[in-house]
Amino acid sequence: MATNEQQGERWSGMGTGWSITSTMIGGIATIGALGYLIDRLLGIGHVFLPIGFIVGGGLGTYIIWLRYGRGEDDGT
């Protein structure tokens, strides 16, 4: 039984890592797709696509910070 507990400890951070990775990719892809859609609807070149990528990356980073980066609130 001890080997299963040791193996679980080795992989304990994998879920968090995959969650952070998928949040970043999802944010970039979603807002980037919205930028692409705006470009297509307005009939202009790729102007809003890179803006969407940058905003999506920033939004993904903010969501990750909200979930994992704020730490414990000590009440002071």
Side-chain angles (χ1 to χ4, degrees):
M1 208 56 176
T3 58
N4 286 340
E5 291 175 11
Q6 290 173 351
Q7 193 174 22
E9 289 177 13
R10 263 189 268 162
W11 293 96
S12 65
M14 286 295 289
T16 303
W18 281 111
S19 176
I20 289 171
T21 302
S22 63
T23 301
M24 285 299 294
I25 291 172
I28 292 170
T30 302
I31 306 300
L34 287 175
Y36 177 76
L37 180 63
I38 291 171
D39 283 339
R40 293 287 288 184
L41 290 174
L42 295 178
I44 56 178
H46 296 292
V47 174
F48 289 101
L49 178 66
I51 292 171
F53 285 156
I54 293 169
V55 171
L59 185 62
T61 303
Y62 179 67
I63 291 171
I64 290 168
W65 178 78
L66 285 177
R67 265 193 212 159
Y68 303 106
R70 292 194 293 182
E72 297 294 324
D73 188 12
D74 60 358
T76 57

